[in-house]
Amino acid sequence: MRLGKVIGTVVSSTKAKGYESRKILVIQPVNPKGSFTGTSFLAIDAVQAGVDDLVLCIEEGNSARQVIRDADAFTVKTVVAAIVDEISS
Amino acid sequence: MKFGKIIGRVVSTQKVESFEGLKLVLVQPLNEKLDPAGDAIVAVDTLQSDIGQIIYYETSKEASRIIEKEMNPCDAAVMGIVDDINLTSRK
């Protein structure tokens, strides 16, 4: 999984099947200390994550479908699977 | 899944049979500020996107599933056309 910060949301009315009525979040990858690293990407929200949340993202289709649990969502691959409360290292 | 901008169409007559009838678009990957981020790719478009539009695309096996046919070789597909992006102020 990847650590990321939710930095925005995407509004789009024309979408593939399985993406309707789902929030699309803009994720900025972060290192464990929280500083930005790498390029942003998009993910389907599955845990009501909001802007500025620190989250865990999965970028793998089989897991995505288990998270989304919708027969139509067979084209989903990148999802937000958890909101991170704390990282201790 | 990433933002992209449709920057062209790709036409091919000599191709694998399963590409028959598929619209292929040239996509420039973008970051959240809509600056170019990486090399252009070619994706399948089933959402009738137009040149210049900002879209988002997905890759790998899931992309091919947008072609609901038995044979669907493809590893990138447009999954939505962006109407608006709301970013937090600080980055």
Side-chain angles (χ1 to χ4, degrees):
Chain A
M1 270 82 73
R2 289 178 75 180
L3 270 172
K5 181 164 191 177
V6 179
I7 60 168
T9 56
V10 178
V11 177
S12 82
S13 37
T14 308
K15 302 188 193 185
K17 204 192 313 186
Y19 284 69
E20 305 96 347
S21 71
R22 295 196 192 287
K23 205 160 58 172
I24 298 177
L25 300 175
V26 184
I27 309 292
Q28 169 61 52
V30 294
N31 65 25
K33 289 190 196 58
S35 42
F36 292 170
T37 166
T39 309
S40 64
F41 60 93
L42 305 179
I44 301 287
D45 177 38
V47 289
Q48 290 73 44
V51 170
D52 289 337
D53 279 345
L54 185 60
V55 294
L56 278 186
C57 297
I58 299 179
E59 291 175 275
E60 189 276 316
N62 207 358
S63 317
R65 271 178 307 291
Q66 287 171 26
V67 165
I68 300 290
R69 281 200 301 278
D70 165 1
D72 280 346
F74 45 73
T75 50
V76 173
K77 178 183 113 175
T78 311
V79 294
V80 174
I83 297 174
V84 174
D85 300 326
E86 189 201 336
I87 301 173
S88 56
S89 55
Chain B
M1 185 161 68
K2 287 207 157 78
F3 287 120
K5 181 174 187 172
I6 304 292
I7 56 172
R9 288 278 304 269
V10 172
V11 177
S12 158
T13 44
Q14 200 166 326
K15 54 197 174 187
V16 293
E17 194 198 321
S18 347
F19 272 13
E20 212 49 57
L22 288 184
K23 177 185 172 191
L24 300 177
V25 291
L26 194 61
V27 176
Q28 168 58 55
L30 304 174
N31 64 22
E32 77 287 355
K33 293 198 284 288
L34 305 186
D35 303 328
D39 298 332
I41 62 157
V42 178
V44 166
D45 173 35
T46 60
L47 300 176
Q48 285 73 41
S49 63
D50 292 324
I51 290 192
Q53 278 190 312
I54 304 300
I55 55 96
Y56 45 91
Y57 66 93
E58 189 50 281
T59 56
S60 75
K61 177 80 186 129
E62 286 61 45
S64 68
R65 291 211 178 103
I66 202 155
I67 311 157
E68 294 177 50
K69 281 196 290 190
E70 181 61 34
M71 296 291 289
N72 54 9
C74 147
D75 68 359
V78 177
M79 292 298 173
I81 297 172
V82 174
D83 295 331
D84 198 8
I85 304 172
N86 307 311
L87 290 178
T88 53
S89 53
R90 343 171 268 344
K91 170 137 195 282

